[in-house]
Amino acid sequence: LEWNPMEPMNFVVGNEDYNAYSFDMRKLDRPTMIYKGHVGAILAINWSPTGREFVSGGYDKSIRIFPHRKGKARDIYHTKRMQRVFTLNYTADHKYIVSGSDDTNLRLWKAQASEKIGQMSAREEKSMEYRQALIRKYQHMPEVHKIHATRKVPKIIKKQTEVAQIQKESQQRKQANRAKYDKSGKEQFVSERKKVVVKKVD
């Protein structure tokens, strides 16, 4: 569990169901956002000093960076040798992420993968700003969005993601059939966010 450094009433938790959840302390009966993508239990979470994003890692041997208001990771980091991730931390300038994993190594990652290390010249800064402006301008186009959002992941993660998607679709079909043919009216649709909280204790 980690508290948002810029929004004291909000916190995010990592769960063994492979998801992370953000909550508002004033309304704990349902999460404000569900963050999906991991295929293993989440063991570590840390907020950026800006409070706009957080990083998570766990049993699937990958690190994911989630924007605060979006449920899908904007970046995924992994290496062949990295094992289960047990600890994560942002640097004070929020430009780097330090990870500690089960292989007894610490690794340093850039928070923005495409960002150049060191001082950029005026020409390089203008070029970077122009590329970012083009992405923002055409992000609604499917081809541009696919190129911008696609990330390469290990085969095992890709396979587990496909299996999880099949299982989710199967469960949704079963639930829809139960609700459709239930004559007692007890089977009703419950949103995913309401299913998360089992019981609220005062």
Side-chain angles (χ1 to χ4, degrees):
L1 184 149
E2 284 285 329
W3 294 90
N4 189 324
M6 302 304 289
E7 298 176 8
M9 299 302 292
N10 295 329
F11 64 91
V12 66
V13 294
N15 206 341
E16 289 185 349
D17 65 357
Y18 313 163
N19 297 330
Y21 304 91
S22 63
F23 285 89
D24 188 324
M25 271 295 294
R26 296 161 293 188
K27 192 175 176 66
L28 290 173
D29 59 340
R30 59 187 295 170
T32 55
M33 184 64 71
I34 301 175
Y35 306 93
K36 298 182 177 182
H38 280 285
V39 293
I42 297 176
L43 302 174
I45 284 180
N46 190 256
W47 280 98
S48 165
T50 62
R52 294 181 179 177
E53 62 185 26
F54 67 90
V55 61
S56 64
Y59 259 76
D60 60 0
K61 307 174 188 177
S62 70
I63 296 169
R64 295 171 188 257
I65 302 174
F66 290 92
H68 181 24
R69 306 295 182 190
K70 293 183 180 179
K72 185 179 179 182
R74 69 162 176 82
D75 250 326
I76 305 169
Y77 295 149
H78 56 87
T79 66
K80 287 184 177 180
R81 294 188 179 185
M82 185 167 71
Q83 298 301 307
R84 293 170 293 187
V85 181
F86 284 114
T87 183
L88 292 162
N89 214 335
Y90 270 90
T91 56
D93 60 359
H94 70 83
K95 290 185 179 294
Y96 300 96
I97 298 167
V98 182
S99 70
S101 53
D102 204 18
D103 56 359
T104 69
N105 287 325
L106 291 174
R107 290 179 172 86
L108 188 66
W109 312 84
K110 289 191 290 185
Q112 296 285 345
S114 60
E115 193 174 76
K116 182 182 177 183
I117 297 177
Q119 184 67 35
M120 289 193 295
S121 66
R123 184 175 180 180
E124 287 174 327
E125 286 181 0
K126 286 183 179 179
S127 177
M128 180 69 73
E129 290 173 2
Y130 178 69
R131 287 199 294 270
Q132 294 299 329
L134 283 176
I135 292 172
R136 287 194 298 271
K137 183 177 180 180
Y138 297 107
Q139 62 184 352
H140 63 282
M141 298 179 67
E143 296 85 357
V144 175
H145 177 74
K146 185 177 180 181
I147 293 170
H148 182 58
T150 301
R151 297 289 183 272
K152 288 187 176 181
V153 295
K155 287 182 180 179
I156 186 169
I157 292 181
K158 190 174 181 180
K159 183 66 176 176
Q160 287 175 328
T161 303
E162 292 172 355
V163 171
Q165 182 64 27
I166 293 170
Q167 291 173 342
K168 181 182 177 182
E169 290 172 357
S170 175
Q171 289 172 356
Q172 288 175 343
R173 281 197 304 271
K174 286 180 181 178
Q175 180 62 33
N177 288 334
R178 282 197 293 264
K180 185 177 180 180
Y181 297 106
D182 179 42
K183 295 181 180 180
S184 64
K186 294 180 180 179
E187 290 289 342
Q188 295 181 351
F189 174 77
V190 180
S191 70
E192 190 172 3
R193 294 190 186 191
K194 284 188 177 181
K195 289 179 182 177
V196 172
V197 179
V198 177
K199 186 178 180 182
K200 184 179 177 181
V201 181
D202 294 327

